[in-house]
Amino acid sequence: MSGESAKSNLPPLSLHVPEPRSRPGDPVDFSDIVVPEAGKQPRPAENTAPKDMTDLSYDLVRVLNEDGKAVGPWDPKLTEKQLLKMLRDMALTRAFDERLYRAQRQGKTSFYMKSRGEEATSIAPAMALDSEDMVFPSYRQQGILISRGYPLVEMVNQIYSNKGDKLKGRQLPIMYCSRRLNFFTISGNLATQYPQAVGWAMASAIKGDSRIAAVWCGEGSTAESDFHAAMTFGTVYNAPCIFNVVNNQWAISSFSGFAGAERTTFAARAIGYGMAGLRVDGNDALAVYAATQWAAHRARTNQGPTLIEHFTYRAEGHSTSDDPSAYRSADEAVEWPLGDPIERLTTHMIGLGIWDEERQAAMDEELANEVKAATKEAEKNGILGHGLHQPFETMFEDVFEELPWHLREQSEQAIREREIKWPE
Protein backbone atom coordinates (compact mmCIF):
# COMPACT_ATOMS: atom_id res chain seq x y z
CA MET A 1 0.00 0.00 0.00
CA SER A 2 1.39 3.40 -0.90
CA GLY A 3 2.03 6.06 1.71
CA GLU A 4 -0.84 8.18 0.37
CA SER A 5 -3.32 5.31 0.58
CA ALA A 6 -2.31 4.56 4.18
CA LYS A 7 -2.80 8.19 5.17
CA SER A 8 -6.28 8.25 3.64
CA ASN A 9 -7.45 5.72 6.24
CA LEU A 10 -6.48 7.99 9.13
CA PRO A 11 -8.87 10.51 10.71
CA PRO A 12 -8.02 14.15 10.04
CA LEU A 13 -5.80 15.88 12.55
CA SER A 14 -7.52 18.19 15.03
CA LEU A 15 -6.07 20.95 17.18
CA HIS A 16 -6.77 20.86 20.90
CA VAL A 17 -7.62 24.23 22.41
CA PRO A 18 -7.89 24.18 26.24
CA GLU A 19 -11.25 25.25 27.64
CA PRO A 20 -12.04 26.07 31.27
CA ARG A 21 -14.82 24.04 32.86
CA SER A 22 -16.96 27.05 33.69
CA ARG A 23 -17.71 30.21 31.76
CA PRO A 24 -19.83 33.27 32.69
CA GLY A 25 -23.34 32.13 33.51
CA ASP A 26 -22.30 28.52 34.11
CA PRO A 27 -22.48 26.81 37.49
CA VAL A 28 -18.97 26.51 38.91
CA ASP A 29 -17.23 23.17 38.42
CA PHE A 30 -14.21 22.26 40.54
CA SER A 31 -14.86 18.51 40.30
CA ASP A 32 -11.42 17.91 38.78
CA ILE A 33 -9.62 19.21 41.89
CA VAL A 34 -8.58 16.48 44.29
CA VAL A 35 -8.04 17.76 47.84
CA PRO A 36 -6.13 15.11 49.80
CA GLU A 37 -6.47 14.67 53.53
CA ALA A 38 -4.32 17.10 55.50
CA GLY A 39 -1.30 15.69 57.27
CA LYS A 40 -0.97 12.56 55.10
CA GLN A 41 1.88 13.86 52.94
CA PRO A 42 5.33 12.60 53.97
CA ARG A 43 8.04 15.12 54.85
CA PRO A 44 11.32 13.85 53.36
CA ALA A 45 14.72 14.72 54.76
CA GLU A 46 16.07 17.95 53.36
CA ASN A 47 18.91 16.13 51.60
CA THR A 48 16.60 13.71 49.78
CA ALA A 49 17.47 13.21 46.11
CA PRO A 50 14.84 14.75 43.79
CA LYS A 51 14.21 11.38 42.10
CA ASP A 52 13.17 9.93 45.47
CA MET A 53 10.46 12.50 46.18
CA THR A 54 8.64 12.88 42.87
CA ASP A 55 5.27 11.99 44.45
CA LEU A 56 5.27 15.34 46.26
CA SER A 57 5.13 17.12 42.90
CA TYR A 58 1.67 15.59 42.33
CA ASP A 59 0.30 15.48 45.88
CA LEU A 60 -0.74 18.55 47.87
CA VAL A 61 1.14 19.33 51.10
CA ARG A 62 -1.47 20.34 53.70
CA VAL A 63 -1.22 21.08 57.43
CA LEU A 64 -4.60 22.58 58.41
CA ASN A 65 -7.44 20.06 58.32
CA GLU A 66 -11.15 20.78 57.89
CA ASP A 67 -11.46 21.63 61.60
CA GLY A 68 -8.57 24.09 61.49
CA LYS A 69 -6.19 21.83 63.41
CA ALA A 70 -2.53 21.53 62.42
CA VAL A 71 -1.73 17.89 61.67
CA GLY A 72 0.99 15.75 60.13
CA PRO A 73 4.76 15.92 59.69
CA TRP A 74 4.74 19.26 57.86
CA ASP A 75 3.30 21.13 60.87
CA PRO A 76 5.92 23.87 61.49
CA LYS A 77 4.76 24.20 65.13
CA LEU A 78 4.87 27.99 65.13
CA THR A 79 4.79 29.92 68.38
CA GLU A 80 1.85 32.08 69.42
CA LYS A 81 3.88 35.17 68.54
CA GLN A 82 4.65 33.85 65.05
CA LEU A 83 1.01 32.95 64.42
CA LEU A 84 -0.16 36.39 65.51
CA LYS A 85 2.36 38.09 63.23
CA MET A 86 1.36 35.88 60.31
CA LEU A 87 -2.34 36.64 60.78
CA ARG A 88 -1.78 40.36 61.28
CA ASP A 89 0.45 40.69 58.23
CA MET A 90 -2.03 38.85 56.01
CA ALA A 91 -4.90 40.99 57.32
CA LEU A 92 -2.84 44.17 56.85
CA THR A 93 -2.03 43.18 53.26
CA ARG A 94 -5.75 42.71 52.57
CA ALA A 95 -6.66 46.01 54.23
CA PHE A 96 -3.98 47.77 52.18
CA ASP A 97 -5.34 46.20 48.99
CA GLU A 98 -8.90 47.26 49.75
CA ARG A 99 -7.94 50.87 50.41
CA LEU A 100 -5.65 51.27 47.39
CA TYR A 101 -8.14 49.56 45.10
CA ARG A 102 -10.67 52.24 46.08
CA ALA A 103 -8.03 54.92 45.57
CA GLN A 104 -7.62 53.78 41.97
CA ARG A 105 -11.37 53.88 41.43
CA GLN A 106 -11.33 57.45 42.84
CA GLY A 107 -8.76 58.48 40.24
CA LYS A 108 -5.87 58.89 42.69
CA THR A 109 -3.68 56.44 40.79
CA SER A 110 -3.77 54.77 37.40
CA PHE A 111 -3.46 51.10 38.32
CA TYR A 112 -3.58 48.61 41.18
CA MET A 113 -3.41 44.84 41.71
CA LYS A 114 -4.92 43.01 44.68
CA SER A 115 -3.63 39.76 46.17
CA ARG A 116 -6.90 38.73 47.85
CA GLY A 117 -6.92 35.00 48.50
CA GLU A 118 -3.17 34.71 47.86
CA GLU A 119 -1.81 36.48 50.96
CA ALA A 120 -0.35 33.27 52.40
CA THR A 121 1.92 32.82 49.35
CA SER A 122 3.87 35.97 50.26
CA ILE A 123 3.51 36.41 54.05
CA ALA A 124 4.36 32.81 55.01
CA PRO A 125 7.50 32.59 52.81
CA ALA A 126 8.66 36.00 54.03
CA MET A 127 8.49 34.71 57.60
CA ALA A 128 10.21 31.41 56.78
CA LEU A 129 13.10 33.09 54.95
CA ASP A 130 15.91 35.04 56.61
CA SER A 131 15.55 38.81 56.28
CA GLU A 132 18.96 38.84 54.55
CA ASP A 133 17.78 36.49 51.80
CA MET A 134 17.11 38.20 48.47
CA VAL A 135 13.57 38.05 47.10
CA PHE A 136 12.66 38.52 43.46
CA PRO A 137 8.89 39.07 43.49
CA SER A 138 6.24 39.15 40.84
CA TYR A 139 3.53 41.79 41.09
CA ARG A 140 1.31 40.20 43.75
CA GLN A 141 3.88 39.85 46.55
CA GLN A 142 3.29 43.15 48.35
CA GLY A 143 2.89 41.04 51.48
CA ILE A 144 6.65 40.41 51.56
CA LEU A 145 7.35 44.13 51.94
CA ILE A 146 4.67 44.42 54.60
CA SER A 147 6.07 41.43 56.49
CA ARG A 148 9.59 42.88 56.35
CA GLY A 149 8.38 46.17 57.82
CA TYR A 150 8.45 48.51 54.81
CA PRO A 151 6.56 51.72 55.68
CA LEU A 152 3.04 51.78 54.22
CA VAL A 153 3.45 55.47 53.39
CA GLU A 154 6.39 54.63 51.11
CA MET A 155 4.31 51.98 49.35
CA VAL A 156 1.50 54.48 48.75
CA ASN A 157 3.98 57.11 47.54
CA GLN A 158 5.14 54.63 44.90
CA ILE A 159 1.57 53.82 43.88
CA TYR A 160 0.78 57.53 43.49
CA SER A 161 4.13 58.21 41.74
CA ASN A 162 4.26 61.42 43.75
CA LYS A 163 7.16 63.57 44.91
CA GLY A 164 7.76 61.17 47.81
CA ASP A 165 8.19 58.19 45.47
CA LYS A 166 11.72 56.86 45.94
CA LEU A 167 11.57 55.37 42.44
CA LYS A 168 10.88 58.87 41.06
CA GLY A 169 7.76 57.86 39.19
CA ARG A 170 9.62 55.51 36.87
CA GLN A 171 7.77 52.32 37.69
CA LEU A 172 4.17 51.30 37.14
CA PRO A 173 2.19 51.55 40.41
CA ILE A 174 2.73 48.48 42.68
CA MET A 175 6.15 47.72 41.20
CA TYR A 176 8.08 48.44 44.38
CA CYS A 177 11.75 48.08 45.23
CA SER A 178 13.73 48.17 48.45
CA ARG A 179 17.45 47.53 48.51
CA ARG A 180 17.48 47.84 52.31
CA LEU A 181 14.96 45.01 52.65
CA ASN A 182 16.51 42.85 49.90
CA PHE A 183 13.41 43.23 47.72
CA PHE A 184 14.40 43.30 44.05
CA THR A 185 12.51 45.69 41.81
CA ILE A 186 9.37 44.21 40.28
CA SER A 187 9.31 43.83 36.50
CA GLY A 188 6.24 44.14 34.31
CA ASN A 189 7.87 41.77 31.81
CA LEU A 190 6.84 38.33 32.96
CA ALA A 191 9.42 35.87 34.36
CA THR A 192 12.46 38.13 33.82
CA GLN A 193 13.07 37.91 37.56
CA TYR A 194 13.67 34.15 37.30
CA PRO A 195 17.11 34.19 35.60
CA GLN A 196 17.98 37.28 37.67
CA ALA A 197 17.31 35.33 40.87
CA VAL A 198 19.39 32.39 39.68
CA GLY A 199 22.27 34.68 38.73
CA TRP A 200 22.14 36.32 42.15
CA ALA A 201 22.03 32.93 43.88
CA MET A 202 24.99 31.68 41.83
CA ALA A 203 26.95 34.80 42.78
CA SER A 204 26.14 34.19 46.45
CA ALA A 205 27.48 30.63 46.11
CA ILE A 206 30.62 31.80 44.31
CA LYS A 207 31.35 34.22 47.17
CA GLY A 208 30.78 31.53 49.77
CA ASP A 209 27.96 33.57 51.31
CA SER A 210 25.08 32.10 53.33
CA ARG A 211 22.26 34.09 51.68
CA ILE A 212 19.84 32.43 49.30
CA ALA A 213 17.39 33.75 46.71
CA ALA A 214 13.64 33.22 46.35
CA VAL A 215 11.67 34.13 43.25
CA TRP A 216 7.95 34.22 42.35
CA CYS A 217 5.88 34.05 39.19
CA GLY A 218 2.35 33.06 38.24
CA GLU A 219 1.54 29.76 36.57
CA GLY A 220 0.99 31.51 33.24
CA SER A 221 4.55 32.85 33.32
CA THR A 222 5.96 29.32 33.40
CA ALA A 223 5.34 29.27 29.65
CA GLU A 224 7.96 32.01 29.23
CA SER A 225 11.44 31.01 28.02
CA ASP A 226 13.04 32.89 30.94
CA PHE A 227 11.40 30.43 33.34
CA HIS A 228 12.97 27.43 31.60
CA ALA A 229 16.38 29.07 31.22
CA ALA A 230 16.38 29.76 34.96
CA MET A 231 15.39 26.18 35.78
CA THR A 232 18.24 24.86 33.63
CA PHE A 233 20.87 27.13 35.18
CA GLY A 234 19.46 26.53 38.65
CA THR A 235 19.92 22.77 38.45
CA VAL A 236 23.16 22.74 36.44
CA TYR A 237 24.91 25.04 38.91
CA ASN A 238 23.04 23.89 42.03
CA ALA A 239 21.96 27.49 42.68
CA PRO A 240 20.70 28.16 46.25
CA CYS A 241 17.32 29.36 45.02
CA ILE A 242 13.62 28.71 45.70
CA PHE A 243 11.37 28.89 42.64
CA ASN A 244 7.81 29.81 43.68
CA VAL A 245 5.01 29.31 41.16
CA VAL A 246 1.76 30.84 42.37
CA ASN A 247 -0.89 28.82 40.55
CA ASN A 248 -3.97 30.98 41.07
CA GLN A 249 -5.76 29.31 38.13
CA TRP A 250 -5.91 32.41 35.92
CA ALA A 251 -3.33 34.38 33.92
CA ILE A 252 -5.29 37.58 33.23
CA SER A 253 -8.23 36.15 31.25
CA SER A 254 -6.72 32.82 30.17
CA PHE A 255 -7.02 29.87 32.52
CA SER A 256 -4.14 27.70 33.67
CA GLY A 257 -4.74 25.10 30.95
CA PHE A 258 -2.98 27.35 28.45
CA ALA A 259 0.18 27.06 30.55
CA GLY A 260 -0.07 23.27 30.70
CA ALA A 261 -2.28 22.56 33.74
CA GLU A 262 -4.40 20.03 31.83
CA ARG A 263 -1.38 17.76 31.37
CA THR A 264 0.32 17.77 34.75
CA THR A 265 1.01 19.89 37.82
CA PHE A 266 3.35 22.86 37.69
CA ALA A 267 5.44 21.34 40.48
CA ALA A 268 6.06 18.35 38.18
CA ARG A 269 8.12 20.61 35.91
CA ALA A 270 10.84 20.23 38.52
CA ILE A 271 11.15 16.52 37.75
CA GLY A 272 12.35 17.01 34.19
CA TYR A 273 15.13 19.27 35.42
CA GLY A 274 16.24 16.96 38.22
CA MET A 275 15.06 19.45 40.83
CA ALA A 276 13.13 18.94 44.07
CA GLY A 277 9.46 19.81 43.63
CA LEU A 278 6.67 20.45 46.14
CA ARG A 279 2.98 21.07 45.43
CA VAL A 280 1.47 22.95 48.36
CA ASP A 281 -1.97 24.10 49.47
CA GLY A 282 -1.43 27.82 48.86
CA ASN A 283 -4.33 28.80 51.12
CA ASP A 284 -2.81 26.99 54.08
CA ALA A 285 -0.33 29.46 55.57
CA LEU A 286 1.28 26.81 57.77
CA ALA A 287 1.89 24.48 54.83
CA VAL A 288 3.40 27.32 52.79
CA TYR A 289 5.67 28.27 55.72
CA ALA A 290 6.78 24.66 56.21
CA ALA A 291 7.51 24.11 52.52
CA THR A 292 9.52 27.33 52.27
CA GLN A 293 11.46 26.50 55.44
CA TRP A 294 12.26 23.03 54.05
CA ALA A 295 13.41 24.44 50.71
CA ALA A 296 15.45 27.20 52.40
CA HIS A 297 17.32 24.69 54.57
CA ARG A 298 17.93 22.58 51.49
CA ALA A 299 19.35 25.53 49.52
CA ARG A 300 21.45 26.77 52.44
CA THR A 301 23.12 23.38 52.85
CA ASN A 302 24.08 23.05 49.17
CA GLN A 303 21.34 20.50 48.42
CA GLY A 304 20.14 22.50 45.42
CA PRO A 305 17.07 24.49 44.34
CA THR A 306 13.41 23.65 44.91
CA LEU A 307 10.31 24.43 42.86
CA ILE A 308 7.22 25.08 45.00
CA GLU A 309 3.81 25.24 43.35
CA HIS A 310 1.39 27.18 45.54
CA PHE A 311 -2.04 25.87 44.57
CA THR A 312 -4.36 28.80 45.26
CA TYR A 313 -7.03 30.97 43.65
CA ARG A 314 -7.19 34.56 42.44
CA ALA A 315 -10.34 35.69 44.23
CA GLU A 316 -10.76 38.92 42.28
CA GLY A 317 -9.74 40.47 38.98
CA HIS A 318 -6.21 40.34 37.62
CA SER A 319 -5.95 44.11 38.17
CA THR A 320 -8.08 47.24 38.14
CA SER A 321 -8.03 46.92 34.32
CA ASP A 322 -9.75 43.54 34.42
CA ASP A 323 -13.34 42.31 34.76
CA PRO A 324 -13.30 38.60 35.69
CA SER A 325 -17.07 38.28 35.17
CA ALA A 326 -16.34 38.45 31.42
CA TYR A 327 -14.51 35.11 31.36
CA ARG A 328 -15.27 32.97 34.43
CA SER A 329 -18.16 31.78 36.52
CA ALA A 330 -19.31 34.32 39.11
CA ASP A 331 -19.45 31.58 41.77
CA GLU A 332 -15.82 30.50 41.53
CA ALA A 333 -14.43 32.68 44.31
CA VAL A 334 -17.06 31.43 46.77
CA GLU A 335 -16.88 27.78 45.77
CA TRP A 336 -13.07 27.47 45.72
CA PRO A 337 -12.53 24.20 47.66
CA LEU A 338 -9.44 25.34 49.60
CA GLY A 339 -11.18 28.29 51.27
CA ASP A 340 -9.69 31.62 52.32
CA PRO A 341 -6.18 31.74 53.87
CA ILE A 342 -7.01 34.37 56.51
CA GLU A 343 -10.20 32.62 57.60
CA ARG A 344 -8.42 29.27 57.84
CA LEU A 345 -5.60 30.66 59.98
CA THR A 346 -8.11 32.52 62.16
CA THR A 347 -10.06 29.28 62.75
CA HIS A 348 -6.81 27.52 63.69
CA MET A 349 -5.88 30.20 66.23
CA ILE A 350 -9.36 30.28 67.74
CA GLY A 351 -9.12 26.50 68.13
CA LEU A 352 -5.83 26.95 70.01
CA GLY A 353 -7.52 29.39 72.37
CA ILE A 354 -5.20 32.29 71.51
CA TRP A 355 -7.68 34.25 69.41
CA ASP A 356 -11.36 35.03 69.05
CA GLU A 357 -13.77 36.77 66.68
CA GLU A 358 -13.92 39.93 68.81
CA ARG A 359 -10.14 40.41 68.63
CA GLN A 360 -10.27 39.68 64.91
CA ALA A 361 -12.86 42.41 64.35
CA ALA A 362 -10.89 44.87 66.49
CA MET A 363 -7.70 44.09 64.58
CA ASP A 364 -9.40 44.55 61.21
CA GLU A 365 -10.66 47.97 62.28
CA GLU A 366 -7.24 48.95 63.64
CA LEU A 367 -5.50 47.91 60.40
CA ALA A 368 -8.04 49.72 58.23
CA ASN A 369 -7.35 52.90 60.20
CA GLU A 370 -3.59 52.34 59.93
CA VAL A 371 -3.82 52.09 56.14
CA LYS A 372 -6.15 55.10 55.99
CA ALA A 373 -3.66 57.21 57.94
CA ALA A 374 -0.82 56.10 55.64
CA THR A 375 -2.73 57.02 52.49
CA LYS A 376 -3.70 60.43 53.91
CA GLU A 377 -0.05 61.11 54.75
CA ALA A 378 1.10 60.02 51.29
CA GLU A 379 -1.52 62.19 49.60
CA LYS A 380 0.26 65.24 50.98
CA ASN A 381 3.00 64.43 48.45
CA GLY A 382 0.49 64.43 45.60
CA ILE A 383 -1.72 62.06 43.64
CA LEU A 384 -2.37 61.30 39.98
CA GLY A 385 -3.45 64.39 38.06
CA HIS A 386 -1.68 66.88 40.30
CA GLY A 387 0.96 67.61 37.68
CA LEU A 388 4.57 66.54 37.32
CA HIS A 389 5.76 65.38 40.74
CA GLN A 390 9.40 64.76 39.87
CA PRO A 391 11.60 67.48 38.27
CA PHE A 392 12.05 66.76 34.58
CA GLU A 393 15.82 66.48 34.82
CA THR A 394 15.60 63.49 37.19
CA MET A 395 15.03 61.33 34.11
CA PHE A 396 18.81 61.52 33.58
CA GLU A 397 19.65 60.32 37.09
CA ASP A 398 20.38 56.77 38.34
CA VAL A 399 20.94 55.41 34.84
CA PHE A 400 24.64 55.85 34.08
CA GLU A 401 27.51 55.72 36.54
CA GLU A 402 28.98 58.63 34.55
CA LEU A 403 26.53 60.68 32.53
CA PRO A 404 27.63 60.96 28.85
CA TRP A 405 28.43 64.52 27.74
CA HIS A 406 25.40 64.86 25.43
CA LEU A 407 22.97 63.77 28.18
CA ARG A 408 24.72 66.06 30.67
CA GLU A 409 24.09 68.96 28.32
CA GLN A 410 20.42 68.00 27.98
CA SER A 411 20.10 67.70 31.75
CA GLU A 412 21.60 71.16 32.29
CA GLN A 413 19.27 72.57 29.64
CA ALA A 414 16.26 71.02 31.37
CA ILE A 415 17.30 72.56 34.69
CA ARG A 416 17.71 76.03 33.08
CA GLU A 417 14.29 75.83 31.43
CA ARG A 418 12.63 74.72 34.67
CA GLU A 419 14.21 77.61 36.58
CA ILE A 420 12.95 80.08 33.95
CA LYS A 421 9.39 78.70 33.95
CA TRP A 422 9.11 77.98 37.68
CA PRO A 423 11.53 80.28 39.54
CA GLU A 424 11.83 79.57 43.24
Side-chain angles (χ1 to χ4, degrees):
M1 184 182 292
S2 69
E4 286 301 317
S5 301
K7 289 178 184 176
S8 66
N9 294 326
L10 296 174
L13 294 172
S14 62
L15 180 69
H16 172 67
V17 179
E19 276 287 332
R21 286 179 174 270
S22 307
R23 284 295 192 183
D26 294 339
V28 67
D29 184 2
F30 285 127
S31 59
D32 59 323
I33 294 178
V34 177
V35 181
E37 186 179 347
K40 294 299 182 183
Q41 299 73 39
R43 185 185 186 279
E46 288 152 4
N47 63 351
T48 300
K51 65 182 179 62
D52 295 329
M53 53 173 290
T54 56
D55 286 354
L56 287 173
S57 291
Y58 300 102
D59 208 332
L60 196 64
V61 174
R62 304 181 70 222
V63 171
L64 294 174
N65 67 14
E66 302 309 314
D67 299 323
K69 294 179 180 177
V71 294
W74 284 96
D75 177 11
K77 302 190 184 304
L78 299 184
T79 65
E80 180 178 333
K81 184 178 178 181
Q82 287 174 308
L83 289 170
L84 288 170
K85 174 176 169 52
M86 184 178 281
L87 180 64
R88 179 185 172 84
D89 286 348
M90 286 203 293
L92 179 54
T93 302
R94 185 166 295 185
F96 186 83
D97 281 354
E98 293 296 331
R99 183 84 189 184
L100 273 298
Y101 181 91
R102 290 200 303 273
Q104 191 278 336
R105 293 302 194 228
Q106 293 165 350
K108 295 178 180 179
T109 186
S110 58
F111 183 79
Y112 193 74
M113 297 182 77
K114 284 182 166 185
S115 61
R116 187 179 185 89
E118 300 175 44
E119 293 90 351
T121 66
S122 59
I123 298 298
M127 290 183 61
L129 292 167
D130 190 279
S131 61
E132 292 297 312
D133 292 333
M134 192 72 179
V135 295
F136 293 77
S138 184
Y139 39 56
R140 229 180 288 275
Q141 275 74 55
Q142 54 266 53
I144 297 175
L145 275 181
I146 286 173
S147 182
R148 289 191 169 184
Y150 195 68
L152 297 182
V153 174
E154 298 296 347
M155 294 177 71
V156 183
N157 282 338
Q158 194 282 326
I159 292 165
Y160 288 165
S161 299
N162 59 27
K163 66 182 181 182
D165 177 12
K166 286 184 165 52
L167 300 185
K168 302 179 181 178
R170 298 177 181 179
Q171 275 278 41
L172 186 73
I174 62 89
M175 294 189 178
Y176 319 97
C177 174
S178 174
R179 183 173 182 175
R180 177 177 63 85
L181 295 179
N182 303 304
F183 187 96
F184 197 81
T185 185
I186 296 173
S187 171
N189 298 319
L190 299 179
T192 56
Q193 66 272 26
Y194 256 63
Q196 292 164 350
V198 172
W200 190 96
M202 289 169 61
S204 184
I206 289 169
K207 292 187 294 185
D209 204 344
S210 61
R211 301 165 68 195
I212 66 171
V215 60
W216 282 255
C217 75
E219 86 286 345
S221 301
T222 63
E224 294 282 341
S225 58
D226 277 346
F227 173 85
H228 296 280
M231 294 284 283
T232 299
F233 272 76
T235 47
V236 168
Y237 294 100
N238 214 40
C241 187
I242 302 173
F243 299 100
N244 294 283
V245 175
V246 182
N247 178 9
N248 64 13
Q249 316 304 313
W250 290 94
I252 308 185
S253 58
S254 61
F255 86 116
S256 59
F258 281 101
E262 287 183 339
R263 307 301 181 187
T264 188
T265 68
F266 291 97
R269 297 195 174 187
I271 298 171
Y273 289 98
M275 184 186 299
L278 297 173
R279 187 166 175 262
V280 179
D281 179 347
N283 288 21
D284 179 344
L286 299 189
V288 174
Y289 181 100
T292 306
Q293 185 183 57
W294 184 91
H297 287 167
R298 185 179 178 87
R300 233 180 285 281
T301 54
N302 295 308
Q303 303 300 322
T306 302
L307 170 64
I308 302 177
E309 176 189 350
H310 304 272
F311 195 68
T312 180
Y313 183 76
R314 195 191 77 211
E316 300 194 25
H318 179 262
S319 71
T320 49
S321 305
D322 176 45
D323 177 11
S325 66
Y327 54 81
R328 70 186 190 189
S329 169
D331 300 325
E332 280 196 12
V334 205
E335 297 293 332
W336 176 244
L338 295 177
D340 178 273
I342 294 179
E343 291 176 6
R344 288 177 66 185
L345 185 59
T346 301
T347 300
H348 173 63
M349 292 169 62
I350 290 174
L352 292 176
I354 63 173
W355 200 242
D356 53 55
E357 292 180 2
E358 290 74 19
R359 278 184 279 186
Q360 179 74 29
M363 182 184 71
D364 287 341
E365 183 178 0
E366 175 198 341
L367 297 179
N369 288 331
E370 183 180 337
V371 175
K372 180 179 179 180
T375 55
K376 294 295 182 186
E377 184 63 28
E379 285 170 13
K380 295 176 184 177
N381 292 319
I383 59 173
L384 180 70
H386 282 186
L388 187 65
H389 296 298
Q390 301 289 337
F392 180 76
E393 66 271 13
T394 61
M395 69 179 291
F396 299 100
E397 298 173 0
D398 309 319
V399 180
F400 298 93
E401 186 176 2
E402 258 186 61
L403 202 62
W405 67 268
H406 64 290
L407 293 182
R408 190 167 58 250
E409 283 187 358
Q410 292 178 37
S411 174
E412 291 167 355
Q413 182 183 354
I415 293 171
R416 286 195 301 271
E417 289 181 0
R418 177 171 60 82
E419 289 173 347
I420 291 169
K421 290 180 180 178
W422 297 288
E424 293 184 1

